[in-house]
Amino acid sequence: QVQLVESGGGLVQPGGSLRLSCTASVSISTFYQMAWFRQAPGNQRELVASIIGTRNTEYSDAVNGRFTISRDNARNTVFLQMNSLKPEDTAVYSCAVRAGPFDIYKYWGQGTQVTVSS
């Protein structure tokens, strides 16, 4: 069973930065794709960023240019660097992994709260 543990959330002022981490209980080197999702109260969960391998990244329009996803296979960790944060970025952020291109995101972390407020 794969366990994912997120950390790094918190309260930050608009324009500030946070770095989220998601560490897996197993080697992530064989996972096809890792991703960060977020869900704000009353909203559907949305895909924020994903990474295939260590270089192929995609971002939602809402965060493109402000967020950066990266992956460290040696540390079994995926990161989400969030800069120029806005109040609308407030949400619970969760990481997820899938084993192959035709698999669902099967394993999820418990989530970490990010609140952007002055």
Side-chain angles (χ1 to χ4, degrees), residues 56-78:
N56 189 350
T57 59
E58 290 186 346
Y59 300 92
S60 68
D61 290 342
V63 307
N64 194 26
R66 299 187 297 121
F67 290 11
T68 302
I69 187 171
S70 61
R71 176 174 173 170
D72 186 339
N73 287 345
R75 297 167 62 183
N76 296 326
T77 300
V78 62

Side-chain angles (χ1 to χ4, degrees), residues 1-29:
Q1 185 75 1
V2 178
Q3 292 184 330
L4 303 174
V5 179
E6 300 99 336
S7 61
L11 174 63
V12 63
Q13 292 187 343
S17 298
L18 282 175
R19 188 193 194 201
L20 304 183
S21 300
C22 172
T23 300
S25 59
V26 299
S27 172
I28 67 170
S29 61

Side-chain angles (χ1 to χ4, degrees), residues 85 100 108 115:
L85 283 161
W108 293 79
T115 302

Side-chain angles (χ1 to χ4, degrees), residues 22-89:
C22 172
T23 300
S25 59
V26 299
S27 172
I28 67 170
S29 61
T30 59
F31 291 142
Y32 170 73
Q33 189 168 17
M34 302 188 72
W36 285 95
F37 291 78
R38 69 184 182 186
Q39 186 168 20
N43 290 357
Q44 290 188 337
R45 184 169 59 197
E46 62 172 332
L47 176 62
V48 174
S50 70
I51 184 166
I52 298 173
T54 59
R55 297 185 178 181
N56 189 350
T57 59
E58 290 186 346
Y59 300 92
S60 68
D61 290 342
V63 307
N64 194 26
R66 299 187 297 121
F67 290 11
T68 302
I69 187 171
S70 61
R71 176 174 173 170
D72 186 339
N73 287 345
R75 297 167 62 183
N76 296 326
T77 300
V78 62
F79 302 97
L80 186 67
Q81 178 66 44
M82 305 186 295
N83 299 328
S84 302
L85 283 161
K86 305 175 182 180
E88 51 264 43
D89 294 318

